[in-house]
Amino acid sequence: MGKSKKKQVKRNASAGGGSTANPGSGQSAGKSSTNSSMNSRGRQAAGQYNAHGAGGQQSAGAHGAGGSGGSQNKMAVMPMNRLLLTMSVPLMLSLLVQSLYNIVDSIFVSRYSEQALTATSLVYAIQFLMIAVGVGTNVGLNSLLSRYVGAKKEEDACRAATTGLILNIASALVFSLVGIFFAKPIAGLMTSDAELKELCIQYMQVCVIFCYGTFIQTYGQRLLQAVGDTILSMVSLISGAIINIILDPIMIFGLLGCPEMGIRGAAIATVIGQCTGAVVALVLNKTKNPVIHVHFKGYHFNMDDVKAIYRVGMPTIVMQAIGSVMTFAVNAVLMSVSTTAVAFFGVYYKLQNFLMMPMNGLGQATIPVVGFNFGSDNKDRIRQAWKCVVPASIVMALIGTVIFLIFPKQLLGLFAASEEMLAIGVPALRIISLTFIFATMTIIFGYFASGLGNGVINMIGGAIRQLVVLVPLVWLFTNFFGISYTWYAMWISEVLAFLYSFVSIRKELKKKADF
């Protein structure tokens, strides 16, 4: 990184709190006198945190949830329990709503046919990759916009926003072309069953060819978050989810005069919901965003903006892409058992993602809190954050474990589970649920490390638990011991990821927070 860029990152690292706060992405446009005493080491550390903290689906330039008009940033003075609560709840709600898109699709599709549910589970790997690129690009954009806004460079922020729009449209165009020309070959890689392949093609073509809504919706939300408005960002997300929920049964089953479209109807409902959210997000930015606006008149494409966006956004893309590769690989293994096994894994993965959203919200809120106090060399506050976040995460993980242990049949019943799916899924959910505590700790340790300027721990922990160890073990256990033993692969991968993350975060804490 050149000297000018280092100075820019340092300015961002010292931009504490202003009158607006952005817990959703950890961004702020202001400056806190708390940071005036930062030494050069602290400023550099905060800059590192800004560059690498995106490893867990989080915008990394997180510095300001500042108080309005006060001389001190609330991340330096507010009681830690209350601070984390106020910053994490909006994130939790947004993430939970976001996960409803695929949950709702699956619930209604399962009532159409199990084959259709299996098709959505197979295509989910492609959707996951699409989301990875969209979220990663816009996490990087959010970080860059926050730096410009914090430095009061409004013209640069508007130029970067325009560049971000171009990047999102270009990304959507690439996926759209993939949907047009490669949907059939990709479906052929997923299954050899003719009926299932056709269902995959129907669902994939609509969702991928018309993916512009999901990219633009995420883009519009990040513009709002960059100026600290997480509420309006959440409004745009909720509006799309509501439309999707309303349209799903109408289009799938042919209600209210609409023709019955089955799985294609589910895809169309999803796309309409995403486009609705995109329009709402753009309108809110046009009318409510006081700083950032898209201007093509006099616009000049700036490659430095692109580099800055992907310098922060690429770790997020990689982390999300790991999930996509994992689902594709595990589906391929389970397809040799039965389509019902694939359908179950899709249901489990969506339920598990929904369960993990509160922990992700808490973890993402932790990044700016830890990063801010690390940058200002306030080690006591870092220790306070640790003592709040870890117990809270354990409690949430235990609640999820109890739900999966006691109510596996009821959870699968939401998706009209057949007797075969119940036979596979009920014991599987109970086996998997015992790993939730380890998975949660790995995730939280990764977020905490990102706040301390180390995004590598998050990436490696995620790779161990979701790909490097898990996929080979799933293949081994399935092929040599049978489907009943497949799920024990998660015990091994989650425990190994936890051990790696625990040892790594302890080293980081000892080195950077003296404990």
Side-chain angles (χ1 to χ4, degrees), residues 8-342:
Q8 183 186 53
V9 173
K10 290 180 182 179
R11 284 198 297 270
N12 180 53
S14 63
S19 58
T20 58
N22 180 15
S25 62
Q27 311 289 357
S28 169
K31 190 173 184 177
S32 167
S33 63
T34 305
N35 286 347
S36 62
S37 62
M38 286 174 63
N39 55 31
S40 60
R41 173 185 170 277
R43 284 194 298 267
Q44 181 60 33
Q48 288 174 345
Y49 133 73
N50 179 60
H52 298 294
Q57 310 170 32
Q58 166 65 15
S59 174
H63 309 291
S68 55
S71 61
Q72 286 187 305
N73 189 289
K74 74 178 183 181
M75 287 194 285
V77 297
M78 182 181 285
M80 188 57 67
N81 280 330
R82 185 154 62 94
L83 174 63
L84 289 169
L85 182 67
T86 57
M87 293 186 69
S88 62
V89 168
L91 271 170
M92 291 178 185
L93 293 175
S94 294
L95 291 168
L96 287 169
V97 170
Q98 191 171 12
S99 71
L100 280 176
Y101 274 115
N102 288 301
I103 289 279
V104 170
D105 263 359
S106 296
I107 288 174
F108 285 116
V109 166
S110 67
R111 282 159 172 73
Y112 189 76
S113 74
E114 189 176 282
Q115 281 284 77
L117 178 62
T118 303
T120 62
S121 298
L122 290 170
V123 175
Y124 188 59
I126 306 301
Q127 290 177 291
F128 213 100
L129 184 60
M130 194 165 59
I131 292 169
V133 175
V135 170
T137 299
N138 288 296
V139 159
L141 174 64
N142 193 356
S143 176
L144 179 61
L145 291 176
S146 288
R147 296 202 292 274
Y148 282 146
V149 171
K152 302 189 184 303
K153 296 182 177 181
E154 295 184 5
E155 288 187 7
D156 289 338
C158 292
R159 183 197 66 235
T162 306
T163 300
L165 179 60
I166 293 171
L167 292 176
N168 275 278
I169 292 174
S171 299
L173 178 60
V174 170
F175 278 100
S176 184
L177 292 173
V178 169
I180 293 171
F181 296 108
F182 299 105
K184 292 181 179 180
I186 293 173
L189 292 174
M190 293 175 172
T191 178
S192 58
D193 182 280
E195 180 187 357
L196 185 56
K197 180 180 177 181
E198 180 58 31
L199 291 173
C200 288
I201 293 170
Q202 290 179 24
Y203 192 73
M204 192 190 317
Q205 283 183 329
V206 174
C207 288
V208 178
I209 292 174
F210 301 100
C211 65
Y212 297 92
T214 189
F215 280 90
I216 302 303
Q217 181 183 28
T218 307
Y219 165 79
Q221 290 164 5
R222 295 294 176 170
L223 294 193
L224 291 167
Q225 290 176 9
V227 294
D229 202 329
T230 56
I231 302 300
L232 291 181
S233 174
M234 189 167 61
V235 166
S236 68
L237 191 62
I238 291 174
S239 64
I242 290 174
I243 293 297
N244 185 28
I245 291 170
I246 293 172
L247 291 180
D248 253 333
I250 294 173
M251 293 187 162
I252 292 172
F253 302 108
L255 306 177
L256 303 178
C258 179
E260 179 182 320
M261 291 184 280
I263 193 172
R264 193 189 300 275
I268 293 172
T270 297
V271 166
I272 293 175
Q274 291 167 346
C275 290
T276 300
V279 170
V280 171
L282 292 177
V283 170
L284 290 174
N285 271 287
K286 181 70 175 178
T287 58
K288 301 293 184 181
N289 194 322
V291 178
I292 302 173
H293 302 285
V294 174
H295 298 302
F296 284 103
K297 186 176 181 181
Y299 166 75
H300 297 287
F301 188 82
N302 189 320
M303 185 55 68
D304 286 339
D305 285 344
V306 177
K307 292 177 181 177
I309 287 169
Y310 286 110
R311 186 178 300 116
V312 173
M314 190 55 68
T316 300
I317 294 175
V318 172
M319 283 295 296
Q320 297 257 353
I322 286 173
S324 174
V325 174
M326 183 273 289
T327 55
F328 189 92
V330 172
N331 282 336
V333 174
L334 296 179
M335 186 61 72
S336 65
V337 178
S338 70
T339 57
T340 301
V342 174

